[in-house]
Amino acid sequence: MQRTQSRMPARLARANPTTVFLVTLVLVLVAFFTPGVVGGLLTLLLAAAVAALLVTTWSVQTVPTRVIRLVALTLLVTAGLVKVL
């Protein structure tokens, strides 16, 4: 890895997929089942993390994968905004 490259993709590649899935599942369930504004803010925080991941991995994803991820991000932001409002 060159000095100008970010270390984030390398760290993401080493992450255990099962652990990442389970942690994300717990975060989504907590955000969805927490009532009111707090649940909405947690959902929007999760959407921000997904957006950061999307930006980080954008260049290595295929077009269909990008579309699916953008749709998922849109649904997550929509759910967060509905909970906040």
Side-chain angles (χ1 to χ4, degrees):
M1 182 165 34
Q2 297 177 5
R3 295 185 110 174
T4 58
Q5 290 178 322
S6 172
R7 294 183 181 164
M8 183 61 79
R11 289 180 65 194
L12 290 173
R14 288 193 310 262
N16 182 349
T18 304
T19 304
V20 171
F21 173 76
L22 292 175
V23 168
T24 304
L25 179 64
V26 167
L27 289 174
V28 167
L29 290 175
V30 167
F32 283 172
F33 289 113
T34 302
V37 176
V38 175
L41 292 176
L42 287 173
T43 305
L44 291 174
L45 184 64
L46 185 61
V50 169
L53 182 64
L54 183 66
V55 168
T56 303
T57 61
W58 186 264
S59 62
V60 295
Q61 300 301 322
T62 62
V63 173
T65 305
R66 291 176 183 173
V67 170
I68 291 169
R69 290 183 180 195
L70 283 174
V71 168
L73 179 62
T74 303
L75 291 173
L76 195 58
V77 168
T78 302
L81 290 175
V82 166
K83 283 191 77 133
V84 167
L85 301 176

